[in-house]
Amino acid sequence: AQSVSQHNHHVILSEAASLELGCNYSYGGTVNLFWYVQYPGQHLQLLLKYFSGDPLVKGIKGFEAEFIKSKFSFNLRKPSVQWSDTAEYFCAVDNQAGTALIFGKGTTLSVSS
Amino acid sequence: DSGVTQTPKHLITATGQRVTLRCSPRSGDLSVYWYQQSLDQGLQFLIQYYNGEERAKGNILERFSAQQFPDLHSELNLSSLELGDSALYFCASSKGIRYTFGSGTRLTVV
C-alpha cells in the first residue's frame, strides 16, 4: 500500500528564513505527487504538483519542490518565508491508476515576524 | 469557494447516534473521496466513489458507510458514534489529477 512520510511535525521559522519540508513516499509504481497547504479554517489548496517531466516543479506563492525518484522524495522549498506562510502543509501521492490521494500527516509551519 | 460543497459545516451529536454528511462535487467531476482529519491521525483516506461505484477503500470503519448518487453527490453515514469519531471530515472531487477539496464538516461527539 502507498504511504507518505513527512519528517517534520512542526517547524518554526523567522521571516525571510529558508524553508525545506521533507516528504518521502513508498510506492513502486509511477506516481503523481502533490503539496497542499491548509490555512486555519480553510480547505486544502494546491501549492504544486508533479506528474512527469522536469523534476523541479514551481508552484504558487514562491514554493517549489524537487522530485528525486531514486530517493522516493518530493521535498518542498521556499527561499524566503513570510508570516503569511503560517499554515499546515501536506504532501500527497496518488498512483496514476485513478485511486485515492494519500496524504502525509502534515507539517505545521509557524513563521514569526 | 472551491466548487465542492459540504454540509453541514458543524455538527454536534451524542455518542451512539447516527449522522449523515453530504458532499456535492465540483461540476464535471465524477470521483468523490472522503477523508477524516484528526490531530493524531492526520488526513486519513476513507473511501472513494467514481460515477456511483465504490472505487477504493481506505481506513473506513465498519460503522461508517458511504454512497454516491446518480446526480454525483455523495453522503457519508457515521453510526454508533464514539467520542473518538470527533474530527473534521473532508470531501474531495477530482477530474484527472485535479483534486478539489471542500471546507469540511466539523463533527463533535459528546
Side-chain angles (χ1 to χ4, degrees):
Chain A
Q2 297 160 229
S3 67
V4 179
S5 174
Q6 290 183 240
H7 313 306
N8 316 98
H9 182 61
H10 193 181
V11 172
I12 302 171
L13 295 172
S14 300
E15 271 194 318
S18 64
L19 170 72
E20 180 159 3
L21 301 182
C23 173
N24 285 89
Y25 66 94
S26 68
Y27 183 70
T30 306
V31 295
N32 300 312
L33 297 156
F34 306 78
W35 275 97
Y36 284 88
V37 62
Q38 186 180 29
Y39 299 103
Q42 294 190 26
H43 57 80
L44 287 162
Q45 298 174 35
L46 180 66
L47 277 178
L48 47 79
K49 63 179 183 282
Y50 170 83
F51 56 95
S52 67
D54 188 344
L56 184 61
V57 180
K58 294 195 185 298
I60 62 171
K61 306 186 182 191
F63 286 91
E64 65 178 32
E66 185 176 12
F67 170 50
I68 303 179
K69 189 174 181 179
S70 61
K71 294 185 178 180
F72 296 89
S73 71
F74 190 56
N75 292 353
L76 181 71
R77 300 194 291 249
K78 185 170 184 178
S80 175
V81 295
Q82 301 173 313
W83 177 82
S84 58
D85 293 324
T86 295
E88 190 153 15
Y89 293 80
F90 293 92
C91 180
V93 59
D94 77 17
N95 65 5
Q96 294 198 355
T99 53
L101 196 58
I102 303 300
F103 286 86
K105 291 203 170 188
T107 298
T108 301
L109 173 64
S110 300
V111 180
S112 59
S113 55
Chain B
D1 180 12
S2 68
V4 175
T5 304
Q6 288 190 248
T7 56
K9 292 196 182 307
H10 302 275
L11 197 50
I12 301 175
T13 190
T15 55
Q17 295 299 304
R18 182 180 190 274
V19 296
T20 297
L21 313 183
R22 183 189 168 102
C23 170
S24 294
R26 182 176 171 141
S27 178
D29 289 358
L30 300 179
S31 279
V32 170
Y33 310 78
W34 285 99
Y35 292 86
Q36 179 193 58
Q37 185 178 23
S38 59
L39 281 174
D40 54 341
Q41 295 294 322
L43 261 167
Q44 294 275 311
F45 165 63
L46 296 178
I47 197 163
Q48 177 198 0
Y49 280 82
Y50 178 82
N51 203 20
E53 299 289 327
E54 183 183 303
R55 185 84 175 255
K57 247 181 177 175
N59 299 321
I60 188 166
L61 299 172
E62 284 192 14
R63 299 183 286 109
F64 296 0
S65 65
Q67 54 185 325
Q68 186 179 27
F69 294 87
D71 67 352
L72 301 179
H73 91 271
S74 178
E75 293 181 354
L76 179 66
N77 300 297
L78 315 176
S79 61
S80 304
L81 284 166
E82 303 174 359
L83 295 177
D85 298 326
S86 296
L88 188 58
Y89 291 83
F90 278 107
C91 166
S93 67
S94 75
K95 187 171 187 176
I97 62 168
R98 186 201 66 203
Y99 294 85
T100 306
F101 287 82
S103 298
T105 293
R106 170 74 63 186
L107 174 66
T108 304
V109 182
V110 297

